[in-house]
Amino acid sequence: KEIEVILLGDASGSMYSIYERVLRAMLGIFESLRVARTAVSVWVHTSNGGDFQDIPTLFHIASHRMHRETSNAQVAFGKATLIDLRENYDGFAIKAVANHFTARNAKRVLIVLSDGEPAGRGYHSSLAIGHTKRAVNELRRQHKCEIISISLVKGVDKKNDDIYGKE
């Protein structure tokens, strides 16, 4: 069975000090999957600075065998450093990016790279964690999508486990 992988990176202000490392990690994963001839698409998300009803703002970075083909991933990832880092509304972004899976019969895998804490204006603490957890569970249930979260900072394991599960 074919596999489709979407990488979703957090491009919010809290990621400022590690954002370029995140992009390098995503580029490495992208290139490895491309060489393995696996369909992969890379996105990052932030907000437009308004209320959370106006989000998410998704930026497509690169694709292989999904959407339009990226000819030069290095250049595409370089442009991603120019994104204005704002707020992260993870639950909304997860729901929105799920619409970009293409193959009906492929196994779907979403890999989320973040600092583990959804937060934005009017969207924080238990509200944000609960909303993101519901979005993750809905995607798993309705779209048969495997979701993996990679925490990029120390001390968020418990929150990440609460949202994504320990598996």
Side-chain angles (χ1 to χ4, degrees):
K1 189 173 188 176
E2 268 194 74
I3 298 175
E4 285 189 346
V5 177
I6 291 181
L7 301 173
L8 176 62
D10 177 350
S12 66
S14 65
M15 298 289 286
Y16 179 78
S17 65
I18 61 171
Y19 183 63
E20 287 191 28
R21 283 191 332 224
V22 169
L23 289 175
R24 284 193 303 274
M26 290 173 68
L27 175 60
I29 295 168
F30 173 81
E31 289 294 350
S32 296
L33 291 171
R34 187 183 60 77
V35 167
R37 300 179 192 266
T38 300
V40 58
S41 189
V42 181
W43 299 78
V44 294
H45 73 95
T46 189
S47 71
N48 63 10
D51 290 333
F52 64 86
Q53 291 87 357
D54 300 331
I55 51 87
T57 303
L58 291 174
F59 294 95
H60 178 252
I61 308 300
S63 286
H64 172 69
R65 297 180 64 202
M66 291 176 75
H67 313 288
R68 60 186 180 272
E69 192 76 15
T70 303
S71 58
N72 189 331
Q74 293 281 350
V75 170
F77 277 86
K79 289 179 182 176
T81 62
L82 304 176
I83 293 170
D84 186 19
L85 306 177
R86 293 185 181 238
E87 298 165 327
N88 62 320
Y89 299 93
D90 293 2
F92 293 100
I94 287 168
K95 284 183 174 186
V97 81
N99 295 322
H100 294 285
F101 282 107
T102 60
R104 301 246 184 256
N105 292 326
K107 177 177 179 162
R108 297 172 173 181
V109 179
L110 173 62
I111 301 173
V112 180
L113 294 93
S114 76
D115 59 5
E117 179 112 27
R121 191 174 314 133
Y123 186 84
H124 49 80
S125 305
S126 61
L127 169 72
I129 290 170
H131 178 261
T132 304
K133 186 175 184 173
R134 286 188 302 279
V136 165
N137 290 336
E138 178 181 314
L139 209 60
R140 284 181 174 143
R141 189 176 53 256
Q142 291 181 355
H143 299 282
K144 307 294 186 244
C145 182
E146 185 173 332
I147 303 173
I148 301 165
S149 174
I150 300 174
S151 300
L152 302 169
V153 296
K154 292 181 180 180
V156 297
D157 294 346
K158 186 176 180 333
K159 285 182 183 152
N160 241 18
D161 288 350
D162 187 36
I163 294 169
Y164 298 97
K166 293 182 181 185
E167 337 32 85

